Amino acid sequence: LAFGSGVTVWTVARSGGTPRRVTDGPDDRAPSLSPDGRSIAFLRAGDPGWNLVVRRNGRETVVAQQVWGSPSWSPKGRWIAVRGANGEVELARPGGGALRILARGGGSLFSAGTAWSPDGRRIAYENLDGLRVVGLSGGAPRLLVRGQTDGIAWSRNGIAYGTTTSIGYVTPGGRVRALVRFAVGEAE
């Protein structure tokens, strides 16, 4: 398992044990373990903005600059989705190279999530106007849920998301249902 604590990234065996610090900062956050468990993608404070760093075998490589939002590995580990400086959904290769813009901006620092479909063919992402999905092959993103969301996770059959008043679920076809409702501030 990989996790952030303070300004560093740590790992611990899933069976437990003593955590091991794997970065020294100065400001590292949002670690994401690769599907094979051998690499960690994370954000490091840069100048300007955040850098996407991949750590593998004790070596760190900056694979993208001026990104934000938690990095998200594709199911087969070939791509890492991040958000660009203007809210774009961008794809980075774990070894570096040119970024591929999958969808144009519209995000904010408060709506920066991305989540891959289990088959790796689509990415759900949070935008200022709501929850959208775009195919890995590109094309026009599709708005599935209108309004700001906070946190997304893709399951085999759809996408779970949070709002200030509910936890909902939407299918890729656009069928929305609330799973839990609560008052503003009740679930913080």
Side-chain angles (χ1 to χ4, degrees):
L1 303 173
F3 63 95
S5 179
V7 295
T8 57
V9 173
W10 296 69
T11 60
V12 66
R14 67 179 177 172
S15 59
T18 303
R20 184 172 68 96
R21 186 173 70 186
V22 296
T23 71
D24 292 323
D27 195 0
D28 300 338
R29 68 179 187 102
S32 178
L33 197 59
S34 65
D36 67 6
R38 296 170 40 194
S39 299
I40 301 171
F42 61 93
L43 299 183
R44 174 171 284 158
D47 186 22
W50 295 91
N51 294 325
L52 175 63
V53 179
V54 173
R55 181 180 176 86
R56 184 178 179 95
N57 298 325
R59 299 185 63 198
E60 294 179 355
T61 304
V62 175
V63 298
Q65 297 177 320
Q66 297 184 21
V67 300
W68 50 276
S70 298
S72 176
W73 288 85
S74 66
K76 293 184 179 176
R78 294 182 184 149
W79 294 99
I80 304 168
V82 290
R83 301 303 291 268
N86 295 313
E88 306 90 352
V89 175
E90 298 179 329
L91 301 180
R93 291 279 187 191
L99 293 175
R100 178 177 162 205
I101 296 176
L102 197 58
R104 293 287 168 196
S108 77
L109 292 176
F110 303 105
S111 61
T114 59
W116 288 83
S117 64
D119 63 10
R121 296 188 333 207
R122 294 169 288 180
I123 296 176
Y125 65 99
E126 297 171 306
N127 229 27
L128 289 176
D129 63 351
L131 177 62
R132 292 181 171 269
V133 171
V134 65
L136 187 59
S137 58
R142 183 167 176 223
L143 181 63
L144 293 181
V145 176
R146 195 171 297 284
Q148 191 166 351
T149 60
D150 184 17
I152 54 176
W154 202 313
S155 71
R156 188 177 61 222
N157 298 316
I159 305 158
Y161 63 92
T163 71
T164 58
T165 59
S166 69
I167 295 173
Y169 188 79
V170 60
T171 65
R175 203 169 103 227
V176 177
R177 68 183 167 120
L179 301 176
V180 178
R181 295 187 190 278
F182 41 82
V184 174
E186 183 179 11
E188 288 185 41

